[in-house]
Amino acid sequence: MQTPDAGTEPGKLQDEPRFALNALGEFVFYNPAFAALAGLPQAAERTRLNAAKILKFESHPDVSHEGPDNHTRRFMDQLGSGQYTLLCGPNNEATRFQFDWVEGPNGQRYLVASTAKEEVSMDIVRQIAPDKVDGGDPFAASAQLRAEELRQFLEMSDDLMCTTDPDGGIIRLNRALCGHLGYEPRAMIGKMFLDFVDPADKESAQSALSEVLSDGVRTHVSFECRMLTSAGDQRWVTWDIALSAGVLHALGRDVTHIKTHEAELSSREAQLSEAQALAHMGHWRWEVGSADVEWSSELYNIFGVDQDDFIPTMDSINALVHRRDLGRLYQAFQRAIIQQNDYDMDFRVARADGTIRVIRCEGRCEMDHDGEVIALYGIMQDITQQKEHEQALREAKEAAENAYASKSRFLANMSHELRTPLNAIIGFSDLIEKQMLGPLGNERYLDYIGAIRESGQHLLDLITDILDMSKIEAGKYELTVEPVNMTQVVRAVVQMMEARAMEGQLTLKADLPDNDVVVSADRRAVKQILLNLLSNAVKFSDKGGHVIIRLMDGQSAVTVQVQDTGIGIPAHKIADVLKPFEQVSNAFTRRHEGSGLGLAITKDLVELHGGIMGIDSRLGEGTIVMFTIPRRG
């Protein structure tokens, strides 16, 4: 044992009963005098006897009767420094002891007791060799270490901590909370917790605090709010509030950076969604073997389905794909998985509203660490408008090419049509001028003059057709609408064509109603329509044929029908003959004169009146051309 202090008499220390307890209530030292007094074994060292079961107190109300039965921890907590009377030994001899809590050389706390009147507590502690008390008070030592370490950890932690009273007044707080909000501790202690909450979030924060205070069962609540810094900035904090012994303990985490990141992510997602909506494009992902498919929101719009009702699966998507494209879609997916290649394809979707949309699918393969395809992903874009535009461009290109070819054929036709009458005009004029048949009194010159007139009239008709067609195409052909007696116009046109019909040995008849049929129209245009139709009927009918023109009076429109028994028009050529500069036969092999504008002009003139025109023809059997002119209100 170590030597006691010089101020203490050794004999007295040896004679006075004394002992020491660790924080667990175990005897770590007692001297022979106390052993004799208490009836304990003389081997005082490392006895580890439980003091709560040995010491009997006479006057201490907390431990006098309950000590032996109390838990050791409670027993030790109830003993403080001071004087107590112990009932020692089998005879319960009353002995007065001085108790003191002291800290030993190993940093552990001990409760020492002695009957000596002088202060001998430290002398007793010095006699407790460290090797004799190496177990010491592990709970108390650990608690001390935890408290010290806890203070260090709390100073190192970025978590925000504070304790408030039930009204929300701040009692204690850590440096992290002060640092995050930019306040000195004295500026926050005593203030209300809600004073540092953003006004917009005070109501929800107050509700959370009231909930944990008023709920008799619930002692913990979590919520999120914005805290105000000393500079007026906002910091998002997630708080965990726990109620203990009437005090609120608040643990918070600053999640401002998370909120900022979430806001940026949300903004980017919104921008992506907007961009996909503008481009009619959406992204998707399918794990190989899975039934479900991941879709972006725009794909619901593209496929014409409701996002709340439609679940994108392989089966539900396939049900929307056009049945003729379903096989190609499967093949594209299978090739991608087998060949591990990127892929793209177009397919059609039949939407619920009955519309057909064209979708372009572009995808890639997602591989695992072994190089196996585990998923397919990519984009789908609605390219219906693009396809329609491409189709319109193709049709416009074809129309332009056809128009160019038609005009080329027209020019070839015109070179023949113009040369023939011009040659006649020039030739016959030259014969007359040179009086090749003698003086001008020769009657044959009259035939030449007639040929010149007919050739000139033919040229005039060609030029008139070209000018009329140009006016119609330019939108400058104006109708002079007036009441027109269709019965009289038909009779006049038939009379004009009778001579040509007779020359062709044809029968020309008119089937007219008994009464006059009057309609509001352009007289010259109507006459031109009838002349063009009858002229074609006579021109393309062989000898012995028949041409009939019928006028039918209807309630809403007047109908005219021209029927012949001519050469007819092939079914695939009917649409072509209604186009400008188109003729059924090749320009160099056809047998009949004409610019190829007659039917096109006729159709346009009918439509200018608001009517319609149609052709029914059989090759070698004849043709029926019918048009209507509506009655004007």
Side-chain angles (χ1 to χ4, degrees), residues 414 417-418 421-422 425 452-468 524 528 595 597 601:
M414 287 303 98
E417 295 292 342
L418 294 175
L422 283 175
I425 292 172
I452 291 172
R453 184 190 61 77
E454 290 179 0
S455 297
Q457 184 63 48
H458 181 59
L459 286 175
L460 178 61
D461 292 341
L462 291 175
I463 293 171
T464 300
D465 285 348
I466 294 172
L467 293 176
D468 286 345
R524 188 182 72 84
Q528 185 176 355
S595 63
L597 297 175
I601 293 174

Side-chain angles (χ1 to χ4, degrees), residues 39-96:
L40 298 177
Q42 289 296 322
E45 298 175 343
R46 303 185 65 85
T47 57
R48 297 296 185 219
L49 297 176
N50 192 328
K53 296 181 179 181
I54 295 175
L55 300 180
K56 299 179 181 179
F57 291 83
E58 178 185 55
S59 58
H60 195 284
D62 294 329
V63 299
S64 57
H65 303 293
E66 303 179 62
D69 299 325
N70 277 353
H71 188 275
T72 304
R73 170 56 59 191
R74 183 180 177 186
F75 172 79
M76 294 302 296
D77 288 343
Q78 291 172 340
L79 289 176
S81 297
Q83 292 189 352
Y84 298 92
T85 299
L86 296 180
L87 302 177
C88 300
N91 298 323
N92 291 327
E93 180 179 351
T95 307
R96 193 77 170 172

Side-chain angles (χ1 to χ4, degrees), residues 310-326:
F310 184 81
I311 299 176
T313 65
M314 292 299 292
D315 292 337
S316 62
I317 296 172
N318 291 339
L320 298 175
V321 177
H322 196 285
R323 60 185 183 85
R324 294 185 178 178
D325 297 338
L326 188 57

Side-chain angles (χ1 to χ4, degrees), residues 205-226:
Q206 178 63 61
S207 175
L209 295 175
S210 300
E211 184 178 352
V212 73
L213 286 170
S214 61
D215 193 336
V217 177
R218 189 173 184 182
T219 59
H220 180 273
V221 69
S222 299
F223 65 93
E224 190 175 75
C225 68
R226 285 163 289 186

Side-chain angles (χ1 to χ4, degrees), residues 169-182:
I170 298 177
I171 302 172
R172 291 181 293 277
L173 73 168
N174 68 341
R175 291 182 181 178
L177 179 57
C178 296
H180 274 70
L181 299 185

Side-chain angles (χ1 to χ4, degrees), residues 323-519:
R323 60 185 183 85
R324 294 185 178 178
D325 297 338
L326 188 57
R328 294 192 301 108
L329 187 62
Y330 269 121
Q331 290 175 3
F333 276 38
Q334 290 173 353
R335 283 197 302 268
I337 296 173
I338 295 173
Q339 300 175 2
Q340 300 182 355
N341 290 332
D342 298 344
Y343 55 94
D344 63 86
M345 66 167 298
D346 298 344
F347 63 92
R348 290 165 295 175
V349 169
R351 299 187 3 169
D353 58 5
T355 60
I356 301 295
R357 310 298 293 181
V358 181
I359 311 298
R360 170 159 295 164
C361 175
E362 298 183 11
R364 294 185 177 181
C365 300
E366 181 179 331
M367 312 288 189
D368 60 11
H369 295 296
D370 298 326
E372 297 294 332
V373 178
I374 59 173
L376 301 179
Y377 66 95
I379 62 168
M380 290 185 186
Q381 183 178 18
D382 187 340
I383 59 171
T384 306
Q385 292 184 348
Q386 177 182 336
K387 287 293 186 180
E388 292 175 349
H389 182 62
E390 291 175 356
Q391 179 64 26
L393 287 178
R394 282 195 297 268
E395 292 176 355
K397 177 176 178 292
E398 292 175 0
E401 291 175 348
N402 291 335
Y404 180 78
S406 297
K407 290 183 179 181
S408 297
R409 290 192 297 271
F410 170 73
L411 292 176
N413 293 345
M414 287 303 98
S415 66
H416 170 77
E417 295 292 342
L418 294 175
R419 281 194 185 98
T420 301
L422 283 175
N423 287 334
I425 292 172
I426 294 171
F428 290 133
S429 299
D430 185 60
L431 288 174
I432 295 173
E433 180 184 18
K434 294 179 180 180
Q435 300 184 26
M436 298 295 293
L437 299 176
L440 292 178
N442 193 315
E443 293 184 357
R444 293 192 60 184
Y445 286 129
L446 296 177
D447 295 335
Y448 295 160
I449 292 172
I452 291 172
R453 184 190 61 77
E454 290 179 0
S455 297
Q457 184 63 48
H458 181 59
L459 286 175
L460 178 61
D461 292 341
L462 291 175
I463 293 171
T464 300
D465 285 348
I466 294 172
L467 293 176
D468 286 345
M469 192 74 246
S470 299
K471 284 184 179 180
I472 292 172
E473 287 186 340
K476 295 182 178 181
Y477 193 102
E478 296 181 0
L479 299 177
T480 303
V481 179
E482 59 180 329
V484 176
N485 190 324
M486 291 293 294
T487 306
Q488 294 179 359
V489 173
V490 171
R491 286 196 184 103
V493 171
V494 170
Q495 289 176 0
M496 293 173 62
M497 295 299 302
E498 280 181 347
R500 292 184 59 181
M502 291 177 64
E503 290 177 3
Q505 299 180 18
L506 302 173
T507 301
L508 177 59
K509 293 182 180 180
D511 185 1
L512 303 175
D514 296 334
N515 59 309
D516 291 338
V517 178
V518 180
V519 67

